[in-house]
Every structure is written in structure tokens, then in C-alpha cells.
Amino acid sequence: MRPLVGAKTQQLISRVFTPVSPVRWRAAQTRRSCGSSPNGEKPRPSMLRHLTSKIKATGPISVAEYMREVLTNPVTGYYVRNNMLGPDGDFITSPEISQIFGELLGVWILSEWMGGGRPKQLQLVELGPGKGSLASDVLRVFSQLRSVLGEASVSLHLVEVSPVLSRLQAQNLTGNYSQEAGAEDEPIYRRGETTTGLPVSWYRCLDDVPAGFSIFLAHEFFDALPIHKFQRTEKGWREVMVDIDPETPDRLRFVVTPSPTLASSTLVQADERRDHVEVCAEGGVIIQQLARRISEDGGAALIADYGHDGTKTDTFRGFKGHQLHDVLVSPGSADLTADVDFSYLRRMAAGGVVCLGPVTQRTFLKNMGIDTRLQVLLRNCADPSTRKQLISSYDMLTNPAKMGERFHFFSLLPHSRLSKPKKPEGLKMEKKSPAPLPVAGFSELSFS
Ligand code: SAH
């Protein structure tokens, strides 16, 4: 099925794809992140100690609190720790597998900027930018298509909780052209200029990013936000908590609360049919913020993550060294993650914006022209090992059995983006008003 990509987007794609830049290949590198200690695999006991004292003091903690502490505790959190960039990564993400991924998202952003009426200011806002590779690939597309952007002034805004990753992003995106803020409570904690000459700022939370027409990107960000877990029991919904195992005091275990909690009374839908549900309330709040900004200032959000549409139950898991890892063992030494419930995100957007998707990564990338891009790169590449890598990264991103169907794309757009422009007043002749530009990547437009 041919994608519903507008003619203008196709022009953009062919313009990006014709002048073939030398292939910068990254598939052999794993995402070097956040898990292992530099000298080996010894778990750090401090996080476990911190959690057990907390539980001893105040009782079992919610899974959301557990996840928040383990991942983003300012001292020992998994994403915050100093040694997160050891030689053995814990997992790999699409932008790290191939530059094609970020290039196609760059084309999507330009297409939505055009669909939004080519405003004079364009803020590119990325939530959880990891190593900065996605932003870097997007900015390269912006440079190649500078003439399309015309006089628009473009700025980059990165929302990142990890000081260590923010330094790495700064290195990758600005070389040495960035500086930390003087005071700790500044909303912008680092600022600089990208190697392509754009202003870039770092924030701890979305609230601090200035208002204005913005395209928001969140790739593997929502899955890292804390979830609450709820279990249906004979007595009704109960919250799953983390407690100390009474038989082995340095071990943790899951328990179910004997009575409802505030979260179990407010976060589970009245008509819920599953027996076990995970709700990411923090993700819901971020979606509400995004929806408000997009409806007030224009723009779009593109969210890509593994997830489901309100069907899955227990998806909470850990990853360490590319292997599944028990979420309660050696907390702080492994990544914790849960599938994103897109039906919940749609509900939280509450009609303030149009929600598109989720569509699978395979569908989205194919609609964006990944096959054409691969062919162009292969045509211009004689080296057999690079050709092999190109094909295998394409396969990794799109194969339904690999990342192709596990990952999904979801978008928020202002209602005005998909409504037909009004006919100019006083026009007597019967003339059809032009259809809005189709949204690239999403083959079917669904309104919610
Ligand atoms: N988008 C990147 C990295 C994904 S890992 C990629 O796909 O390669 C998750 C990222 O989100 C990391 O950069 C992590 O530090 C950041 N992060 C996690 N929780 C966060 C929070 N609450 N606020 C801001 N950033 C967060």
C-alpha cells in the first residue's frame, strides 16, 4: 500500500536522499548507556540500602515511586549515575542503529512545520535525548534543506534529567560550544550553539521550555516514566507495592495493598476489563502539557515507543547487558521500563488535540520512504561490509519480528492542522477549499 505522504513531503524526501552523504554507520556500536560499573558487573548496594531504609521508615512504596527512585534519584539513579557510558550498553535504540531513522524524522518535522503554515520560529524540543544522536541526525536534514526553512529561526530545546547524558549530548551536538548555568536553580541548566549554528538549551522539565510553535520528539522516553501497577482482587482493585522480603531482608518483593490506595481509586477506569493494569500518571501529565502547548501555540508531537493500545497487562521489566533482568534485583544497576499504553495517552489528551496512531514503526518508516533511502545508499556504496550493515540495520528497524512491530508511532496535532482551510469571505464562485496536507508517516488519518 502506498503511503499517504503528501507530494511536498515526497519532494523533501527526494531532496534529502539525492545528495548522498557518506554513510555514517552506527549499528556496530551499542547504545553505551547507563548500566554497568566501569570495572565489571558488581551491583551498587547504595540504591538498595536507600530503598530499604525508605520502606522501613514509611512502609511499602508504590511501583511508581520505586521506578522513579531507581531511574532518576539525583545521586544514585540509573540515568543519573556517573558511569553510565561504560563499554557494555544495556539496550540499543533505533537512532543508534541507523542514521536513516533520524533523517526520516527530520523530514517529518519539516513536513509538519510546512503543514503548520511555515511559522517564522521553529522550536525543536526533544524529551530524553539519550546521546543526542536523533537530534544530530535531524539537524543534518535541516542543514541540507536550509533553503526549505528559508528565513525561519530554528532553536533546539532538550529536556534531560541526567547531567551525565546532557554533557554527552552537548559534546555530540555542540563540540565545545556549550556552558553550564551558574546557579543550580536556573530553568536552563546548560546552553550552547550546535555545530550547525543553532541555539540549544537544556532543561530538567518540559514546563521550563518556552512557549512557541514547537515540534516535540519523544523517542523511548515515555517507557522510562514511572508506572503504577494495579491488581484486580475479589475485594476490588488494589495497588501493587514494593516491600522488603521478610525472609531475606536485603531482597525486595511485590505485595498487594489490603485496602484501596488513592492511586487505585483514581487511576483505574471504571469499565476496565483486564485483571492487571499499569498506569503511567506522569506520562499522562506530560501529554496534557503537550496537548495544551500544541493547541495554544501550534506544532506537533511525535512519540515513538514500544507499547500497546490498552490491551497488555504486566509489561514491567528490566534490561541489563541486552538481557532481561529481574526488576527487583540490584536496583539501579539495570534499566527499568514498561510498555506505553497509547490508549491512556489518547485519553489524557482529552480531545484538546488530534491523536494519530499508534502505527507500527514498520508502517511509519515505510510511509516515510525508508525503502527509497536504503536503495539510494546501497546504489552509492560499493563496500560489501557497509552494504551488509545497511541491510541488517534496515532489517532491525523494520522487520516485524524485530523492532518493526514492537515499536509504535503516535502523534498529537492541533485540530486546525487537519481541518479544511476556510474559504475566503466574499468568494462567489463555487470553489472547493484545498484539502490539508496529509500527515506523513501515518497511512490512515484517525480522528479522536
Ligand atoms: N531518546 C534516546 C534515549 C532514550 S533513554 C534514544 O532513543 O536513544 C531515556 C532518556 O530519557 C534518557 O536520556 C534519560 O536520561 C531521559 N529521561 C528519563 N527519565 C526522564 C525524566 N523524568 N525527565 C527527563 N528525561 C528523562
Side-chain angles (χ1 to χ4, degrees):
M1 184 175 57
R2 186 48 222 163
L4 195 59
V5 173
K8 288 202 174 148
T9 309
Q10 285 184 345
Q11 279 166 19
L12 283 182
I13 291 172
S14 58
R15 288 180 62 183
V16 175
F17 290 0
T18 334
V20 180
S21 49
V23 181
R24 177 163 58 77
W25 180 253
R26 288 200 299 258
Q29 304 167 7
T30 55
R31 184 174 116 178
R32 301 192 189 288
S33 87
C34 327
S36 325
S37 48
N39 55 350
E41 293 302 314
K42 283 230 159 94
R44 294 177 152 204
S46 54
M47 173 60 77
L48 183 61
R49 254 202 325 269
H50 166 69
L51 291 164
T52 49
S53 356
K54 201 177 173 84
I55 294 169
K56 275 180 198 153
T58 59
I61 56 173
S62 68
V63 173
E65 189 173 356
Y66 176 76
M67 211 172 158
R68 189 176 302 113
E69 281 297 323
V70 171
L71 293 183
T72 58
N73 176 288
V75 182
T76 46
Y78 173 78
Y79 284 119
V80 178
R81 281 178 10 198
N82 287 328
N83 59 4
M84 55 181 54
L85 299 168
D88 304 313
D90 286 325
F91 56 102
I92 187 157
T93 62
S94 296
E96 302 300 331
I97 287 173
S98 167
Q99 68 184 75
I100 302 179
F101 186 85
E103 290 169 350
L104 294 175
L105 267 55
V107 171
W108 190 90
I109 292 164
L110 284 179
S111 162
E112 278 317 297
W113 170 77
M114 288 159 70
R118 301 171 179 254
K120 295 225 155 34
Q121 312 259 337
L122 166 59
Q123 296 193 148
L124 171 59
V125 184
E126 189 178 356
L127 309 179
K131 289 168 72 172
S133 308
L134 176 56
S136 160
D137 291 336
V138 167
L139 294 189
R140 198 177 49 256
V141 171
F142 284 11
S143 289
Q144 286 171 352
L145 297 176
R146 188 63 242 185
S147 63
V148 174
L149 281 162
E151 296 300 305
S153 90
V154 182
S155 52
L156 178 62
H157 304 261
L158 303 175
V159 179
E160 174 56 72
V161 76
S162 162
V164 175
L165 284 181
S166 75
R167 280 196 285 277
L168 187 72
Q169 292 150 16
Q171 249 165 42
N172 287 344
L173 291 162
T174 72
N176 287 325
Y177 291 95
S178 83
Q179 238 184 343
E180 273 182 53
E184 271 196 5
D185 54 353
E186 297 269 336
I188 296 179
Y189 67 86
R190 175 184 288 278
R191 66 172 89 226
E193 187 177 295
T194 68
T195 48
T196 55
L198 304 179
V200 50
S201 313
W202 277 261
Y203 312 79
R204 288 177 195 86
C205 63
L206 176 59
D207 258 350
D208 292 333
V209 177
F213 183 97
S214 304
I215 306 280
F216 299 92
L217 284 184
H219 185 264
E220 288 218 44
F221 169 75
F222 280 87
D223 72 277
L225 298 179
I227 49 149
H228 288 271
K229 278 173 97 61
F230 304 107
Q231 178 67 42
R232 190 195 293 277
T233 70
E234 280 172 2
K235 291 189 229 146
W237 285 100
R238 295 292 184 262
E239 182 159 7
V240 178
M241 312 286 275
V242 176
D243 195 5
I244 300 167
D245 187 335
E247 284 171 16
T248 328
D250 61 349
R251 286 186 63 140
L252 299 169
R253 62 167 188 169
F254 287 118
V255 291
V256 174
T257 53
S259 47
T261 58
L262 180 63
S264 70
S265 324
T266 54
L267 293 176
V268 184
Q269 291 291 295
D271 58 354
E272 182 56 63
R273 297 175 138 222
R274 290 167 287 175
D275 287 335
H276 186 96
V277 286
E278 296 170 339
V279 181
C280 179
E282 210 167 290
V285 170
I286 292 176
I287 285 292
Q288 286 171 341
Q289 291 173 343
L290 291 175
R292 184 182 44 75
R293 282 171 174 262
I294 290 168
S295 66
E296 286 173 6
D297 306 324
L302 188 61
I303 294 163
D305 230 308
Y306 36 70
H308 58 92
D309 217 6
T311 49
K312 288 200 183 170
T313 54
D314 181 10
T315 70
F316 186 35
R317 59 202 182 280
F319 279 103
K320 186 169 175 173
H322 301 267
Q323 304 292 320
L324 276 171
H325 179 85
D326 187 324
V327 289
L328 296 182
V329 169
S330 310
S333 75
D335 186 36
L336 299 183
T337 171
D339 279 15
V340 174
D341 179 349
F342 292 104
S343 70
Y344 175 71
L345 300 191
R346 196 183 300 114
R347 205 158 58 238
M348 289 299 108
V353 284
V354 175
C355 298
L356 295 187
V359 298
T360 63
Q361 171 156 306
R362 175 182 172 81
T363 302
F364 184 89
L365 295 180
K366 281 187 167 271
N367 287 352
M368 289 302 305
I370 192 169
D371 294 308
T372 318
R373 176 57 169 156
L374 177 71
Q375 291 314 320
V376 171
L377 289 176
L378 287 175
R379 220 178 297 135
N380 288 280
C381 170
D383 174 47
S385 85
T386 311
R387 289 176 67 86
K388 210 169 139 201
Q389 281 180 326
L390 273 173
I391 293 165
S392 78
S393 73
Y394 165 88
D395 183 59
M396 177 70 102
L397 294 181
T398 59
N399 187 328
K402 297 178 180 169
M403 294 168 117
E405 288 192 354
R406 272 191 69 70
F407 284 80
H408 293 83
F409 280 73
F410 183 75
S411 177
L412 310 180
L413 298 162
H415 286 286
S416 57
R417 170 67 179 82
L418 295 176
S419 56
K420 282 192 172 181
K422 286 203 185 94
K423 272 189 248 175
E425 295 225 349
L427 202 70
K428 295 235 169 80
M429 269 191 335
E430 236 352 271
K431 203 175 169 192
K432 274 192 185 165
S433 43
L437 268 183
V439 180
F442 294 85
S443 58
E444 274 187 12
L445 304 186
S446 66
F447 296 86
S448 54

Short mmCIF file of all heavy atoms in Angstrom, two decimals, residues 248-274:
data_model
loop_
_atom_site.label_atom_id
_atom_site.label_comp_id
_atom_site.label_asym_id
_atom_site.label_seq_id
_atom_site.Cartn_x
_atom_site.Cartn_y
_atom_site.Cartn_z
N THR A 248 14.27 -12.59 53.65
CA THR A 248 15.62 -12.19 53.22
C THR A 248 15.67 -10.66 53.18
O THR A 248 15.30 -10.06 52.18
CB THR A 248 15.93 -12.76 51.81
OG1 THR A 248 15.27 -13.99 51.65
CG2 THR A 248 17.40 -12.88 51.54
N PRO A 249 16.11 -10.02 54.26
CA PRO A 249 15.94 -8.58 54.40
C PRO A 249 16.66 -7.73 53.34
O PRO A 249 16.35 -6.58 53.19
CB PRO A 249 16.50 -8.28 55.79
CG PRO A 249 16.55 -9.59 56.49
CD PRO A 249 16.66 -10.65 55.46
N ASP A 250 17.65 -8.31 52.62
CA ASP A 250 18.25 -7.48 51.57
C ASP A 250 17.63 -7.78 50.20
O ASP A 250 18.20 -7.49 49.17
CB ASP A 250 19.79 -7.63 51.55
CG ASP A 250 20.19 -9.06 51.25
OD1 ASP A 250 19.31 -9.95 51.28
OD2 ASP A 250 21.39 -9.29 50.97
N ARG A 251 16.45 -8.38 50.24
CA ARG A 251 15.73 -8.61 48.98
C ARG A 251 14.40 -7.89 49.01
O ARG A 251 13.79 -7.72 50.06
CB ARG A 251 15.47 -10.11 48.79
CG ARG A 251 16.71 -10.86 48.39
CD ARG A 251 16.34 -12.27 48.09
NE ARG A 251 15.44 -12.31 46.94
CZ ARG A 251 15.52 -13.23 46.00
NH1 ARG A 251 16.42 -14.18 46.07
NH2 ARG A 251 14.68 -13.22 45.00
N LEU A 252 13.93 -7.54 47.83
CA LEU A 252 12.65 -6.86 47.74
C LEU A 252 11.62 -7.81 47.15
O LEU A 252 11.98 -8.77 46.45
CB LEU A 252 12.79 -5.62 46.84
CG LEU A 252 13.79 -4.57 47.34
CD1 LEU A 252 14.07 -3.52 46.29
CD2 LEU A 252 13.28 -3.93 48.63
N ARG A 253 10.35 -7.53 47.39
CA ARG A 253 9.28 -8.36 46.81
C ARG A 253 8.06 -7.46 46.53
O ARG A 253 7.94 -6.37 47.09
CB ARG A 253 8.90 -9.49 47.75
CG ARG A 253 8.35 -8.96 49.05
CD ARG A 253 7.66 -10.02 49.88
NE ARG A 253 7.00 -9.39 51.02
CZ ARG A 253 6.15 -9.98 51.81
NH1 ARG A 253 5.84 -11.25 51.64
NH2 ARG A 253 5.58 -9.34 52.81
N PHE A 254 7.19 -7.96 45.67
CA PHE A 254 5.94 -7.25 45.41
C PHE A 254 4.89 -7.68 46.43
O PHE A 254 4.82 -8.86 46.79
CB PHE A 254 5.41 -7.58 44.01
CG PHE A 254 6.21 -6.93 42.91
CD1 PHE A 254 6.89 -7.71 41.97
CD2 PHE A 254 6.29 -5.55 42.79
CE1 PHE A 254 7.62 -7.12 40.94
CE2 PHE A 254 7.03 -4.95 41.78
CZ PHE A 254 7.69 -5.74 40.86
N VAL A 255 4.08 -6.72 46.88
CA VAL A 255 2.93 -7.05 47.73
C VAL A 255 1.72 -6.30 47.18
O VAL A 255 1.87 -5.34 46.42
CB VAL A 255 3.15 -6.65 49.21
CG1 VAL A 255 4.22 -7.50 49.86
CG2 VAL A 255 3.53 -5.16 49.33
N VAL A 256 0.53 -6.74 47.59
CA VAL A 256 -0.68 -6.06 47.15
C VAL A 256 -1.31 -5.40 48.38
O VAL A 256 -1.40 -6.02 49.44
CB VAL A 256 -1.66 -7.08 46.51
CG1 VAL A 256 -2.98 -6.42 46.18
CG2 VAL A 256 -1.05 -7.66 45.25
N THR A 257 -1.71 -4.14 48.27
CA THR A 257 -2.25 -3.44 49.45
C THR A 257 -3.56 -4.09 49.91
O THR A 257 -4.37 -4.52 49.07
CB THR A 257 -2.55 -1.96 49.13
OG1 THR A 257 -3.38 -1.89 47.96
CG2 THR A 257 -1.29 -1.17 48.90
N PRO A 258 -3.78 -4.15 51.24
CA PRO A 258 -5.03 -4.77 51.72
C PRO A 258 -6.25 -3.91 51.43
O PRO A 258 -7.36 -4.41 51.32
CB PRO A 258 -4.79 -4.89 53.23
CG PRO A 258 -3.68 -3.95 53.55
CD PRO A 258 -2.87 -3.74 52.32
N SER A 259 -6.06 -2.61 51.32
CA SER A 259 -7.20 -1.73 51.02
C SER A 259 -6.84 -0.82 49.85
O SER A 259 -5.67 -0.72 49.49
CB SER A 259 -7.59 -0.93 52.26
OG SER A 259 -6.43 -0.38 52.83
N PRO A 260 -7.84 -0.12 49.28
CA PRO A 260 -7.53 0.72 48.13
C PRO A 260 -6.56 1.85 48.51
O PRO A 260 -6.52 2.28 49.66
CB PRO A 260 -8.89 1.31 47.74
CG PRO A 260 -9.91 0.47 48.40
CD PRO A 260 -9.27 -0.11 49.62
N THR A 261 -5.77 2.30 47.53
CA THR A 261 -4.93 3.49 47.73
C THR A 261 -5.59 4.61 46.92
O THR A 261 -6.48 4.37 46.11
CB THR A 261 -3.51 3.26 47.19
OG1 THR A 261 -3.61 2.92 45.80
CG2 THR A 261 -2.79 2.15 47.93
N LEU A 262 -5.07 5.83 47.11
CA LEU A 262 -5.59 6.96 46.33
C LEU A 262 -5.42 6.65 44.84
O LEU A 262 -6.33 6.86 44.03
CB LEU A 262 -4.82 8.24 46.71
CG LEU A 262 -5.24 9.50 45.97
CD1 LEU A 262 -6.69 9.84 46.31
CD2 LEU A 262 -4.32 10.66 46.33
N ALA A 263 -4.24 6.09 44.50
CA ALA A 263 -3.96 5.79 43.09
C ALA A 263 -4.93 4.73 42.56
O ALA A 263 -5.47 4.87 41.46
CB ALA A 263 -2.52 5.34 42.93
N SER A 264 -5.17 3.65 43.34
CA SER A 264 -6.05 2.59 42.82
C SER A 264 -7.48 3.09 42.69
O SER A 264 -8.24 2.64 41.84
CB SER A 264 -5.99 1.32 43.68
OG SER A 264 -6.59 1.55 44.93
N SER A 265 -7.87 4.06 43.54
CA SER A 265 -9.24 4.57 43.44
C SER A 265 -9.40 5.56 42.30
O SER A 265 -10.51 5.77 41.83
CB SER A 265 -9.66 5.31 44.72
OG SER A 265 -9.14 4.71 45.84
N THR A 266 -8.31 6.21 41.88
CA THR A 266 -8.48 7.26 40.87
C THR A 266 -7.94 6.91 39.48
O THR A 266 -8.36 7.49 38.50
CB THR A 266 -7.78 8.57 41.33
OG1 THR A 266 -6.42 8.26 41.65
CG2 THR A 266 -8.46 9.18 42.54
N LEU A 267 -6.99 5.99 39.40
CA LEU A 267 -6.32 5.79 38.11
C LEU A 267 -6.87 4.62 37.28
O LEU A 267 -6.55 4.49 36.11
CB LEU A 267 -4.81 5.60 38.32
CG LEU A 267 -4.05 6.85 38.83
CD1 LEU A 267 -2.57 6.51 39.09
CD2 LEU A 267 -4.14 7.99 37.83
N VAL A 268 -7.65 3.74 37.90
CA VAL A 268 -8.19 2.61 37.12
C VAL A 268 -9.55 3.01 36.54
O VAL A 268 -10.39 3.55 37.27
CB VAL A 268 -8.34 1.35 38.00
CG1 VAL A 268 -8.80 0.16 37.16
CG2 VAL A 268 -7.04 1.01 38.71
N GLN A 269 -9.75 2.76 35.26
CA GLN A 269 -11.01 3.11 34.60
C GLN A 269 -12.16 2.27 35.16
O GLN A 269 -11.99 1.08 35.42
CB GLN A 269 -10.91 2.78 33.10
CG GLN A 269 -9.97 3.67 32.33
CD GLN A 269 -10.53 5.08 32.24
OE1 GLN A 269 -11.56 5.30 31.62
NE2 GLN A 269 -9.87 6.01 32.89
N ALA A 270 -13.34 2.87 35.28
CA ALA A 270 -14.49 2.16 35.84
C ALA A 270 -14.84 0.92 34.99
O ALA A 270 -15.24 -0.12 35.51
CB ALA A 270 -15.69 3.10 35.90
N ASP A 271 -14.66 1.03 33.66
CA ASP A 271 -15.05 -0.10 32.80
C ASP A 271 -13.85 -0.98 32.42
O ASP A 271 -13.88 -1.70 31.42
CB ASP A 271 -15.73 0.42 31.53
CG ASP A 271 -14.81 1.36 30.75
OD1 ASP A 271 -13.71 1.68 31.27
OD2 ASP A 271 -15.18 1.79 29.64
N GLU A 272 -12.80 -0.95 33.23
CA GLU A 272 -11.59 -1.74 32.92
C GLU A 272 -11.92 -3.24 32.92
O GLU A 272 -12.59 -3.72 33.84
CB GLU A 272 -10.51 -1.44 33.98
CG GLU A 272 -9.20 -2.16 33.75
CD GLU A 272 -8.60 -1.89 32.38
OE1 GLU A 272 -8.27 -0.73 32.09
OE2 GLU A 272 -8.49 -2.86 31.58
N ARG A 273 -11.43 -3.95 31.87
CA ARG A 273 -11.75 -5.38 31.79
C ARG A 273 -10.58 -6.28 32.13
O ARG A 273 -10.76 -7.47 32.38
CB ARG A 273 -12.22 -5.71 30.37
CG ARG A 273 -13.49 -4.98 30.05
CD ARG A 273 -13.94 -5.16 28.65
NE ARG A 273 -15.39 -5.34 28.68
CZ ARG A 273 -16.03 -6.21 27.97
NH1 ARG A 273 -15.40 -7.02 27.15
NH2 ARG A 273 -17.34 -6.31 28.06
N ARG A 274 -9.38 -5.71 32.09
CA ARG A 274 -8.22 -6.54 32.40
C ARG A 274 -8.14 -6.83 33.91
O ARG A 274 -8.77 -6.12 34.70
CB ARG A 274 -6.93 -5.83 31.95
CG ARG A 274 -6.76 -5.76 30.46
CD ARG A 274 -5.67 -4.78 30.06
NE ARG A 274 -6.08 -3.40 30.24
CZ ARG A 274 -5.28 -2.35 30.05
NH1 ARG A 274 -4.03 -2.53 29.70
NH2 ARG A 274 -5.73 -1.12 30.22
#
